[in-house]
Amino acid sequence: MRLAIVGGRVFDPASGWDGQERDIYLADGRVVDFLPAVDQVINARGLAVTPAGLEIRSPVAGFGQNFLRLWGGLPSPAELGHTYALLGYTHVHEPCLTLPTANYVHQELAALPIVDTSASLAINLRDVDLWLQDPQKLADVGEAWAYLLESTRCLNLRVVEPFVKFRQDFYRYRALTEEVVVNRLLTIREQMRLPLTMEATPALLTLNLPVHPGLHLSGLGAALTDEALLDRALHLLATGLTADMGLLPPAPRPGFPSRPVQVDLGWFQPFDLLPELEPQVARRALRLAVQGKEWRLAFSVASLLSLPLSSFSQVFAWLGDAASRRRDWGDVQLEGTHSFTDWLRATRLLPAQYLGLTDRGHLQPGARGDVALYDLLGSDTWAKNCQRCRLLFKAGELVVHNYEVVQPHVAKATYYRRTQAVPNKLVADLCQYRSLRPENLQVRVQPHQHWQQVA
Amino acid sequence: MRIPLEARIESAVCPGCACLCDDIDVTVVDGRVYQAANICLWGASKVLGHKRFHPKKERRRLAQPLIRHRGRWQTVSVDAAIDRTAEILIKARQPVVYGLTNAGCGAQAAALQVARQAQARLEPADLAWKAPYYQSLKKYGVFWATLEVIRDEADTLVFWGANPLHSCPRHVVRYSIFARGRFTERGYDERRLAAVDIHRTELADLVELFLQVEPGQELSLLQEVLTATAAAGGAVSKKARRLAAMLQEAHYGVIFFGRGVSYGPTPELLDGLAGLTARLNEHTPFVLFPLSTDFNAVGLYHLLLRELGSPLAPDFGAGEVSFHAEPLRWTDVDALLVVGADPFWFLSAAEIQDLHERRVPVVALSPVANRTTGHAEVVLPVALAGVETPELAYRMDGLPLSLPALLPASLPSDQQLLQQLAAALGCSHRGMACV
């Protein structure tokens, strides 16, 4: 299928196009330079033509998310997939998959229609604390992680607790500080060339983190527990570090459960699926998002329960429209706004780069034909543009037409990284901590699931 | 999947109970399980096809679809049995799809589709004690842990109306009483154990504190324990004080509850247990954990939560879906489709009599003859899920596991038949002929 999207105003931060009128050509599901003849012409006059979005931050399939459905705040996977498509997204990344919950997460991701999916393997440093203490064994750790990355079908590694601590006093001697852990992890990253994400914590932000290709800081917003940390985060971004963050609401959502929802997966602390909202942290997160637009900061919302998909345009309006910000946040002292292109960069180009999906997030020749077309209501009120997507193409196939999903069964895939690593002794040891045999910890390939390797 | 005549299958997952033990090594000879290692009696009854409590008695497998006509069984084709089932469900005003806790995830999803098409109520077999559990979570919040974490961390375990030795035998060695975990290396010696039951069970010889209560007295015991754990204090019995002290001294605790809670005032009991767990959780990690028996009971609740946003019994009869926390009243049912359960085991004689008198048609999908198939109007034999057909099931802590096929299947799976039934119902509702 060859098609031309003509007459639209194209916004593509990767190409430096900021609303110029251009034609975009798609052939065999990819963007091409030019086509002398096409099968279909899409008249995009009056529309903004942009790369499709990639969701990198909001947990949609993590273990325990089903508990949140008890309060009615999280839609079904079918609704989620449809809503993401209607917002112009074609890829959803689950940030938290663990070794024992890998099959669970992939089951949930498989239930999301339309959008492609991927996940980060959250690694528990407590499991490898003795190896991390010995610099001679770091290569073994890297090998084991590389193997687990592929066997759990994940795209990258994510360190949720960048330290080693034990709940049992008896094991206190085995603790490792953030500083030691970061040094060790960077060595492993050097040796294995594995993409590595570290969850931001207040202690981690105060460290002198080096700018390292492949090192990414995640969840910056929730870590900003004081003003000094906001300055520190901005400084780190200014040095060139890549990061992502989730925006938080100014106040708890009405009807939001105030009860704790925690899942203990054997980390130092249980995962808190409903963390208490601290308004000052939320304000700092907003300030970081606005002030960090110059740097490599990708964002989405922190939780779909506190900021549901239906509120995305309102959330993005906080970034692009000072009046919306004043209305929802009161007298927040904040200069600057995001332009439409700034927003596209943070929700398309940077997430694609972070996930290593080089053919996504832009409209240059060779990119996959994931194109979202929005009504262009005005460049000063661009947040209204992205309320709903007029047309969405996924790999060149029309998925949304006139604000309605017309192809709910479009092909979708789960992306994972191919490492070709072989299991070593550490993998066997890690499996011993589980009750499951290694072969049952691996993700079973279901016939209805389509997998796509990333080198 | 083709199974060779002689095969050794390692690390198979056992569908005997909700532990879903994944270390079962099976030798298959001539299409039968010749040897199975690491398996308990419950698992053996599934893979070897004998009765649970009588290992020398084989369970009678069903081979042909049957329809009862004027009191006599007639062997029919699968299509004829499906058509008759569709006819029954369409004619009914309040049809119920019942059971599903002993069915794989594929069959459960297909049954949900059948319930939608037939505008029926879908009733999980263990709704009586699971619905109050989920309602209590909604009220008090959730602190959840996987079985590995419980094995590694928990030093205090309470079994309330639960006897894992009967409901999930290997639970005690893999995850709870005897299991040696990463931080509980001495296993049994390192744990404090208590049990509360209306009968003296085998646990009485294993636990430090066994509290046998009169039927109906569980709630007052629980209230005494709640009083004893409250800062204000109050007059409580010695046994309640001992249990409260044990709970308060824990570093990491779990309250396992089982089907036994359904004998008491279940909602109040679960509310009390969840309230107690929430109070203990303010100081120490404490988990309230339902000890599911059937191998994929948890999968059904995950399906309901994921697809419908509620763990309660969905009823598609009133145009839009409504949800029920109360178990169904059998007197309201006018057609029953049973999958992965045997309700006629526990129905009272009066309830069975009522169903007979009202001529409520019963359709049973089952691999073996049981009491429900004995009362059914239509019987559809199916392959054994997780033994003869591959399936997916959720362990009692919510982790899904793939169950490979161990034996060749000569019968269709329950998932296939339910999908066929959903298609037949869809065609009938649209007034189309099915091809």
Side-chain angles (χ1 to χ4, degrees), chain B residues 123-133 261-262 266-267 270 301 325-327:
Chain B
E123 178 92 353
D126 56 359
L127 186 80
W129 57 289
K130 287 292 180 63
Y133 164 66
V261 295
S262 57
T266 317
L270 263 309
Y301 291 98
E326 290 286 316

Side-chain angles (χ1 to χ4, degrees), chain A residues 244-372:
Chain A
D244 69 67
M245 61 167 291
L247 287 161
L248 297 157
R253 192 174 153 197
F256 201 70
S258 57
R259 304 292 177 196
V261 182
Q262 296 182 325
V263 174
D264 190 354
L265 294 175
W267 258 253
F268 176 62
Q269 287 176 323
F271 287 90
D272 198 345
L273 305 183
L274 265 183
E276 206 172 312
L277 181 78
E278 291 178 38
Q280 288 307 319
V281 173
R283 279 169 180 256
R284 286 185 206 110
L286 181 68
R287 282 166 60 191
L288 181 72
V290 172
Q291 293 174 356
K293 67 177 180 177
E294 306 294 330
W295 301 305
R296 299 176 68 194
L297 176 66
F299 57 71
S300 180
V301 301
S303 156
L304 290 182
L305 211 63
S306 55
L307 288 169
L309 284 172
S310 56
S311 70
F312 264 34
S313 62
Q314 181 195 350
V315 172
F316 297 137
W318 296 337
L319 304 168
D321 177 14
S324 296
R325 205 151 59 207
R326 267 197 305 280
R327 186 192 62 217
D328 294 335
W329 291 81
D331 58 340
V332 61
Q333 301 293 316
L334 192 49
E335 295 291 316
T337 50
H338 275 244
S339 67
F340 191 35
T341 304
D342 292 332
W343 174 70
L344 290 170
R345 183 171 170 270
T347 57
R348 270 81 171 153
L349 182 63
L350 293 177
Q353 286 176 352
Y354 156 55
L355 295 177
L357 301 173
T358 51
D359 61 351
R360 267 356 113 70
H362 63 89
L363 295 174
Q364 290 169 338
R368 206 175 79 167
D370 288 12
V371 187

